[in-house]
């Protein structure tokens, strides 16, 4: 009987809030970070198109278990819409399908924005990761197929016009999970009768990570020049945030090392005292500031659902 294969890389855990450059895919960025940190596992919370820059939270090791909590968080984008052309991909990469000489006024744009605030119905772009009959829409689009993608409800919390020029306008949007900014540009253009597409896109916020936490990829790559491996990895690790940072919106309980041991064995623990939390469907257990588990609180107990090393 063969022995199980030992995972390659270091068993490190934490979040890196990457400032992804333009012309660099999200999967490519994750692969680069995994290699730089020599990590066993890596994943990201929310794809950014190659033409988009900005915040790409990357989870290493056990932090990959917390990716869904970041995926569900609010996001903020700054984006530029160029008027006069609609494109197959709704951004600069696609072929032009419609043109117009009309240009919207600032007043027309401002009058449109309330229609795109709140819960709205949105059709994702043809070039998107939506699955149609088991295939990705972007694969079908690359093969020249035009498919009917069903609309979906998304939530726009805030939509602001930052500046309007004759041929383009600059916006900021705060939105919920599943929103396609490229679809906003396409639909703005159609409603205004001038057509439009994304010509600039930057993500500045993914809850709960702040813009100030972003680390430029070039700054990390520059550390490759450090010849001593341990010194290089220590310099990289200094950029990692605790795994628990992704769960800051959940109620937290502080536990002892003995309680942490019980939880890691898969056992519930009793919560005593006047300040013991009431029932919670999801809560975080921390020991010495380190994440131990995500679980539920009920009937005076914390019951672990997902345990961290």
């Amino acid at each position: 009987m063969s022995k199980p294969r030992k995972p390659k890389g270091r068993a490190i855990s934490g979040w890196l809030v990457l400032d992804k450059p333009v012309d660099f895919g999200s999967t490519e960025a994750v692969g680069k970070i995994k290699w730089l940190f020599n990590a066993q596992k890596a994943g990201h919370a929310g794809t950014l198109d190659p033409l988009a820059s900005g915040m790409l939270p990357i989870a290493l090791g056990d932090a990959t278990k917390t990716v869904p909590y970041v995926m569900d968080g609010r996001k903020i984008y700054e984006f530029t819409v160029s008027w006069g052309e609609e494109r197959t991909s709704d951004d600069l990469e696609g072929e032009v399908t419609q043109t117009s000489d009309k240009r919207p006024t600032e007043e027309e744009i401002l009058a449109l924005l309330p229609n795109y605030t709140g819960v709205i119905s949105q059709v994702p772009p043809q070039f998107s990761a939506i699955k149609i009959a088991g295939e990705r829409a972007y694969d079908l689009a690359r093969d020249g197929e035009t498919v009917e993608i069903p609309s979906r409800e998304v939530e726009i919390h805030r939509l602001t016009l930052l500046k309007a020029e004759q041929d383009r306008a600059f916006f900021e949007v705060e939105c919920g999970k599943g929103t396609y900014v490229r679809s906003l540009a396409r639909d703005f253009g159609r409603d205004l009768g001038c057509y439009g597409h994304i010509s600039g896109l930057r993500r500045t916020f993914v809850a709960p990570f702040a813009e100030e936490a972003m680390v430029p990829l070039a700054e990390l790559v520059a550390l490759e020049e450090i010849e001593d491996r341990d010194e290089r990895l220590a310099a990289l690790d200094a950029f990692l945030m605790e795994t628990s940072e992704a769960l800051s919106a959940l109620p937290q309980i502080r536990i002892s090392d003995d309680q942490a041991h019980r939880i890691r064995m898969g056992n519930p623990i009793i919560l005593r005292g006047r300040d013991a939390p009431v029932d919670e469907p999801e809560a975080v257990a921390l020991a010495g500031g380190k994440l131990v588990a995500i679980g539920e609180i009920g009937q005076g107990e914390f019951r672990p659902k997902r345990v961290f090393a």
Side-chain angles (χ1 to χ4, degrees):
M1 184 174 179
S2 60
K3 293 182 179 179
R5 186 175 296 176
K6 186 178 179 181
K8 293 181 180 179
R10 298 188 298 151
I12 57 170
S13 179
W15 280 92
L16 177 78
V17 185
L18 182 69
D19 188 347
K20 186 190 82 67
V22 172
D23 293 332
F24 209 72
S26 295
T27 301
E28 185 183 1
V30 171
K32 181 68 173 179
I33 295 304
K34 182 183 178 184
W35 180 81
L36 279 172
F37 281 79
N38 190 30
Q40 288 181 1
K41 291 190 296 183
H44 66 78
T47 301
L48 270 182
D49 296 333
L51 290 182
S53 67
M55 186 177 290
L56 181 67
I58 295 177
L60 300 180
D62 253 10
T64 55
K65 297 176 183 178
T66 65
V67 163
Y69 296 90
V70 180
M71 293 280 283
D72 289 341
R74 291 190 185 193
K75 300 169 180 66
I76 297 177
Y77 297 88
E78 294 175 355
F79 64 102
T80 305
V81 180
S82 289
W83 308 119
E85 293 180 346
E86 185 168 307
R87 297 178 176 234
T88 52
S89 60
D90 301 316
D91 63 15
L92 287 170
E93 282 193 317
E95 297 178 4
V96 176
T97 57
Q98 303 280 358
T99 62
S100 173
D101 293 328
K102 183 181 184 299
R103 297 294 182 267
T105 65
E106 183 173 345
E107 290 71 24
E108 288 175 322
I109 297 170
L110 288 170
L112 179 70
L113 297 190
N115 299 337
Y116 287 88
T117 305
V119 177
I120 66 169
S121 180
Q122 183 183 77
V123 177
Q126 288 286 315
F127 284 81
S128 64
I130 302 296
K131 281 196 172 182
I132 305 294
E135 294 193 61
R136 298 290 184 187
Y138 54 65
D139 288 329
L140 298 170
R142 286 172 186 145
D143 290 338
E145 293 187 46
T146 300
V147 296
E148 186 173 339
I149 301 177
S151 63
R152 51 167 61 183
E153 286 193 342
V154 297
E155 188 166 7
I156 308 295
H157 303 284
R158 177 174 55 84
L159 180 56
T160 307
L161 174 65
L162 301 177
K163 184 170 69 170
E165 298 177 353
Q166 181 173 347
D167 292 321
R168 60 183 181 172
F170 302 83
F171 301 88
E172 183 177 72
V173 63
E174 182 176 353
C175 55
K177 180 182 179 182
T179 303
Y180 280 93
V181 181
R182 284 181 289 142
S183 292
L184 289 178
R186 177 200 64 208
D187 295 342
F188 288 176
R190 290 178 180 178
D191 286 353
L192 292 166
C194 63
Y195 301 117
H197 63 275
I198 288 285
S199 55
L201 179 61
R202 179 169 176 78
R203 188 160 65 193
T204 59
F205 176 77
V206 178
F209 302 115
E211 185 174 4
E212 296 74 28
M214 283 197 287
V215 183
L217 179 62
E219 191 170 337
L220 299 170
V221 171
L223 296 177
E224 291 183 71
E225 297 179 5
I226 301 175
E227 293 184 4
D228 183 86
R229 180 180 182 275
D230 291 341
E231 184 182 344
R232 182 174 67 255
L233 291 175
L236 286 164
D237 290 350
F239 289 104
L240 288 181
M241 303 175 71
E242 289 286 346
T243 300
S244 59
E245 291 289 332
L247 307 170
S248 59
L250 296 181
Q252 298 183 353
I253 61 168
R254 309 287 170 174
I255 62 174
S256 67
D257 289 342
D258 286 343
Q259 289 174 315
H261 178 71
R262 281 189 56 80
I263 287 174
R264 289 194 173 107
M265 297 295 289
N267 299 312
I269 60 169
I270 297 173
L271 302 175
R272 294 188 176 90
R274 183 185 302 174
D275 297 326
V278 295
D279 292 2
E280 293 283 357
E282 279 195 310
V284 175
L286 300 168
K290 298 290 185 180
L291 178 61
V292 177
I294 301 170
E296 64 177 339
I297 298 174
Q299 299 177 325
E301 286 187 335
F302 176 86
R303 307 181 192 105
K305 296 180 187 175
R306 180 157 285 185
V307 177
F308 296 79

